Amino acid sequence: MLEQLNVMLNPQVFPPDRYNMREVFRSIFLYYIRGICTDDGARIAAEHFARL
């Protein structure tokens, strides 16, 4: 998880002038959270991240 955060905040990987950092965050952490959730938890996580 820390490595994902480091990658997300690395401007050489995701230059802020080219990528919407909110979308990068949502994309990275939604799939991380979904990977450790039950089916019901994944549905709830998807609904939550859709509001971000």
Side-chain angles (χ1 to χ4, degrees):
M1 188 167 194
L2 288 175
E3 188 58 34
Q4 288 176 331
L5 182 60
N6 287 331
V7 168
M8 184 185 85
L9 296 175
N10 184 337
Q12 293 177 331
V13 178
F14 293 108
D17 59 324
R18 186 169 177 200
Y19 293 96
N20 179 328
M21 296 311 292
R22 174 181 264 182
E23 183 61 25
V24 172
F25 173 84
R26 189 185 77 76
S27 296
I28 288 174
F29 287 102
L30 170 62
Y31 291 106
Y32 173 79
I33 296 296
R34 285 183 69 188
I36 61 173
C37 287
T38 63
D39 290 339
D40 288 339
R43 181 185 48 77
I44 292 167
E47 291 170 1
H48 173 75
F49 278 92
R51 292 189 301 263
L52 295 180

